Amino acid sequence: MKRTKRERQTALKESINENPFVTDEELSAEFDVSVQTIRLDRMELSIPELRERIKHVAVRTFEDEVKSLPIDEVIGEIIDIELDEKAISIFDVKPEHVFQRNQIARGHHLFAQANSLAVAIMNEDLALTVKSELQFLRPVKAGQRIVAKATVIDRQPEKNRAFVKVVSTVDQVTVFIGTFEMYRMTEQSEGEAG
Amino acid sequence: MKRTKRERQTALKESINENPFVTDEELSAEFDVSVQTIRLDRMELSIPELRERIKHVAVRTFEDEVKSLPIDEVIGEIIDIELDEKAISIFDVKPEHVFQRNQIARGHHLFAQANSLAVAIMNEDLALTVKSELQFLRPVKAGQRIVAKATVIDRQPEKNRAFVKVVSTVDQVTVFIGTFEMYRMTEQSEGEAG
């Protein structure tokens, strides 16, 4: 049985409150209505589009949640995190992050945001990157905001390994994808990888 | 016909002058004598071991050689460069480059040194990283000096692509290996990758 419009709008509001980074497409699938219906719902509820929501999202600190490193060592700001599952961070590209010559953000800043999110998502005292595969898909410019979403895609606890995929977007367009093989361990033991 | 000891020592001195980063093992292969002989030659010639040579290597600027970015945008210091062939840079790991908790250098600094060397080696006005595969093999600590050696391993000019391998070592032990697929273009054209 389909929900009434009022029921759907109430649920929609809750969904967006819980995850301000959800796209209209994802909401359309969740509520089994067209993207256009979601847009109209948002307008009636005065909920801004994703792009605007991302700009104004309240940044709280996740100091108590993150175990593997102090929160101030995370590059970018963590917006949401569920240890060993998923995490989101934002990184505002400033003039000091770009090549002078072409104003394109330097790769190591995109890598740093994604890699530190892959470390932060680990529910361990010690987490080190062992291997990584990166794709730089589109240039990012100063003034843009990069939203990185990390997901733990595989766990191999017997080998002290976990695999994390990070997809970074600007205005919902994917600019970078990284996969990270992480070594994870409680602090008593000694890491063997940098 | 084998060289005399005097001839060998003269040639050895030249080899090391040309490339202060050559190892005793490489010299042993070059001169077809044992590593022990190379060591004795070095002692007689008062040439310090590689580790000491690396510490005191004179840093000259390669401002005029590097085309793809201003020299001050290279992370680390370029010690030697031959465009489209090979390049070497050094990076001194300082306390601000390590995780507070375990004093291990953060991955994005190793990546930044290697990636910017892969950009610098390109004999083009525009060079952007498209893909990269990284292996972090051993932890690096503050106070250590990372020597990164980049080599162009493949060229695909028809696709505006070049492939660079970077091997980073500390005291001749490999700590990091990265391969970089680079997009390269003269500046008139527009890049499509970040």
Side-chain angles (χ1 to χ4, degrees):
Chain A
M1 200 184 77
K2 268 217 157 174
R3 304 176 214 230
T4 64
K5 181 175 168 185
R6 178 182 292 266
E7 284 169 346
R8 184 183 68 236
Q9 289 194 347
T10 306
L12 182 73
K13 211 168 172 177
E14 273 172 23
S15 274
I16 295 176
N17 268 343
E18 272 170 29
N19 174 16
F21 294 95
V22 66
T23 64
D24 286 348
E25 288 70 23
E26 286 162 354
L27 291 165
S28 150
E30 182 181 341
F31 292 101
D32 197 19
V33 295
S34 71
V35 172
Q36 184 58 19
T37 303
I38 296 290
R39 280 192 199 128
L40 290 169
D41 280 348
R42 280 200 297 95
M43 279 164 70
E44 288 180 22
L45 296 163
S46 300
I47 298 174
E49 59 170 345
L50 175 59
R51 190 174 167 159
E52 290 304 308
R53 295 200 302 274
I54 292 175
K55 270 190 198 150
H56 302 294
V57 71
V59 174
R60 51 179 275 245
T61 68
F62 285 83
E63 186 116 37
D64 297 335
E65 281 89 341
V66 174
K67 279 181 70 177
S68 56
L69 78 176
I71 198 84
D72 61 359
E73 292 197 336
V74 176
I75 315 290
E77 290 189 278
I78 292 184
I79 294 305
D80 197 14
I81 191 160
E82 201 181 316
L83 289 185
D84 280 345
E85 292 293 338
K86 54 191 181 178
I88 299 175
S89 80
I90 54 174
F91 179 78
D92 290 319
V93 179
K94 306 213 166 91
E96 64 264 33
H97 302 128
V98 302
F99 286 108
Q100 292 167 39
R101 198 178 284 178
N102 50 33
Q103 300 296 306
I104 292 173
R106 306 192 60 170
H108 62 270
H109 297 299
L110 284 94
F111 173 76
Q113 177 188 19
N115 193 28
S116 65
L117 198 59
V119 172
I121 204 173
M122 293 291 106
N123 191 13
E124 297 281 358
D125 296 324
L126 179 72
L128 295 170
T129 308
V130 180
K131 285 187 190 169
S132 186
E133 284 190 30
L134 318 174
Q135 295 175 63
F136 296 90
L137 299 167
R138 281 204 172 62
V140 180
K141 302 266 175 169
Q144 293 188 312
R145 169 167 281 188
I146 305 174
V147 179
K149 294 191 186 187
T151 315
V152 177
I153 53 173
D154 193 18
R155 296 160 185 84
Q156 298 178 356
E158 70 289 358
K159 293 184 188 164
N160 295 316
R161 289 290 193 279
F163 296 81
V164 182
K165 182 173 183 179
V166 180
V167 178
S168 298
T169 57
V170 170
D171 291 338
Q172 298 185 60
V173 175
T174 302
V175 295
F176 169 90
I177 298 175
T179 54
F180 298 85
E181 179 181 338
M182 306 301 293
Y183 171 87
R184 51 189 294 170
M185 198 73 170
T186 47
E187 265 205 341
Q188 294 91 295
S189 310
E190 190 60 45
E192 57 184 26
Chain B
M1 198 186 74
K2 268 217 156 173
R3 305 175 211 230
T4 65
K5 180 176 168 185
R6 177 182 293 266
E7 286 168 347
R8 185 184 65 237
Q9 289 194 346
T10 306
L12 182 72
K13 211 168 170 175
E14 273 171 23
S15 276
I16 295 176
N17 268 344
E18 272 171 28
N19 173 16
F21 293 95
V22 68
T23 65
D24 286 348
E25 288 69 23
E26 287 164 354
L27 291 165
S28 150
E30 182 179 341
F31 292 101
D32 197 18
V33 295
S34 70
V35 172
Q36 184 57 20
T37 301
I38 296 291
R39 281 192 198 127
L40 290 170
D41 280 349
R42 278 201 297 94
M43 279 164 70
E44 288 179 24
L45 296 164
S46 300
I47 299 174
E49 58 171 346
L50 174 60
R51 189 172 170 162
E52 290 304 309
R53 294 201 301 273
I54 292 175
K55 272 188 196 150
H56 302 294
V57 71
V59 174
R60 50 179 275 243
T61 68
F62 286 84
E63 187 116 35
D64 296 335
E65 282 88 342
V66 174
K67 277 181 72 175
S68 56
L69 78 178
I71 198 85
D72 62 358
E73 292 196 337
V74 176
I75 314 289
E77 290 187 278
I78 291 184
I79 295 304
D80 197 15
I81 192 160
E82 200 180 319
L83 289 184
D84 280 345
E85 292 291 338
K86 54 190 180 179
I88 299 175
S89 80
I90 55 174
F91 179 77
D92 289 318
V93 179
K94 303 213 168 91
E96 64 264 32
H97 302 127
V98 301
F99 285 110
Q100 291 166 40
R101 198 177 283 178
N102 51 33
Q103 300 297 307
I104 293 173
R106 306 192 61 170
H108 62 269
H109 296 300
L110 283 93
F111 173 75
Q113 178 188 17
N115 193 28
S116 64
L117 198 59
V119 172
I121 204 173
M122 294 290 106
N123 191 13
E124 296 282 359
D125 295 325
L126 179 72
L128 295 170
T129 307
V130 180
K131 284 187 190 169
S132 185
E133 285 190 26
L134 318 175
Q135 296 175 60
F136 297 89
L137 300 167
R138 283 206 171 61
V140 180
K141 303 265 174 168
Q144 294 188 312
R145 171 166 279 188
I146 305 173
V147 179
K149 294 189 187 188
T151 315
V152 177
I153 53 174
D154 194 18
R155 297 161 185 82
Q156 298 179 357
E158 71 288 0
K159 294 184 187 165
N160 295 316
R161 289 290 192 279
F163 295 82
V164 181
K165 181 174 183 179
V166 180
V167 177
S168 297
T169 57
V170 171
D171 292 338
Q172 299 186 57
V173 176
T174 302
V175 295
F176 168 92
I177 298 174
T179 54
F180 299 85
E181 180 180 337
M182 307 300 295
Y183 171 87
R184 52 188 293 171
M185 198 73 171
T186 47
E187 266 204 340
Q188 295 91 293
S189 312
E190 190 61 44
E192 61 187 19

